[in-house]
Amino acid sequence: MSRGRILTAAAAVLALLSCLPGCSPAPTALEGCMGERAVGATSAQLAGTYRGEGDAEGVTLTLTASESKPESGTVTVRGWPTGDWHRGELGETFDGSGTWSVVQGGTAATEFARLSLSFTAPKRFLEGDTLDSLSIAEGDGRTHLYAEGDPDVCPAFRLRPQG
């Protein structure tokens, strides 16, 4: 192949890889389906009822803000996935309640806010025995919750605000 053809091919590839003026790079899979990862969140942003999609189909999560403790409150779930330890007793999913709090992100580029759940009913779960930590995303003026997964695809377990 001649040097001229190589330069022409390289220019064509560079043109394809370069963004035209005024356009933005393609969003990540998360940004495309839910929004950007949140660095922080308040009780006011999170309070409300969320409905499940994908692997969370049939799940309902309701967060009620605490008046006395900022960034925390009570949680009620329906159809929540049961951890291995309690599956024999409770089945594949359970309805329950407990408390929630926000773990704020940090200053590093990889530190994002998370929602921490602590279930007290039907009985206290061991930490990590069921899904007890969700990531927070913000998009379209709404707050979304999801379980971390493959960063190259839309999260499989995701919750959107009702309404």
Side-chain angles (χ1 to χ4, degrees), residues 6 8 24-26 30 39 41 51 54 59 61 68 70 74 82-83 90 114 120 122 128 131 137 144 152 162:
I6 291 174
T8 303
S24 62
L30 175 65
V39 175
R51 299 272 183 225
V59 171
L61 175 131
S68 61
T74 58
T82 306
L90 300 174
R114 299 188 62 75
T120 54
L131 182 59
H144 308 274
D152 296 326
Q162 178 180 330

Side-chain angles (χ1 to χ4, degrees), residues 27-123:
T28 64
L30 175 65
E31 290 171 342
C33 73
M34 300 191 76
E36 293 184 19
R37 294 178 75 175
V39 175
T42 66
S43 297
Q45 286 174 295
L46 294 172
T49 299
Y50 297 79
R51 299 272 183 225
E53 294 180 346
D55 288 354
E57 188 72 35
V59 171
T60 302
L61 175 131
T62 302
L63 301 174
T64 304
S66 170
E67 291 182 17
S68 61
K69 294 181 182 178
E71 302 168 359
S72 65
T74 58
V75 61
T76 304
V77 296
R78 301 232 183 277
W80 199 256
T82 306
D84 293 338
W85 186 263
H86 295 285
R87 189 159 287 141
E89 176 188 350
L90 300 174
E92 293 292 316
T93 63
F94 69 95
D95 298 343
S97 60
T99 59
W100 65 271
S101 62
V102 177
V103 178
Q104 301 293 350
T107 56
T110 58
E111 296 176 347
F112 297 98
R114 299 188 62 75
L115 176 68
S116 177
L117 305 172
S118 178
F119 295 104
T120 54
K123 66 180 187 178

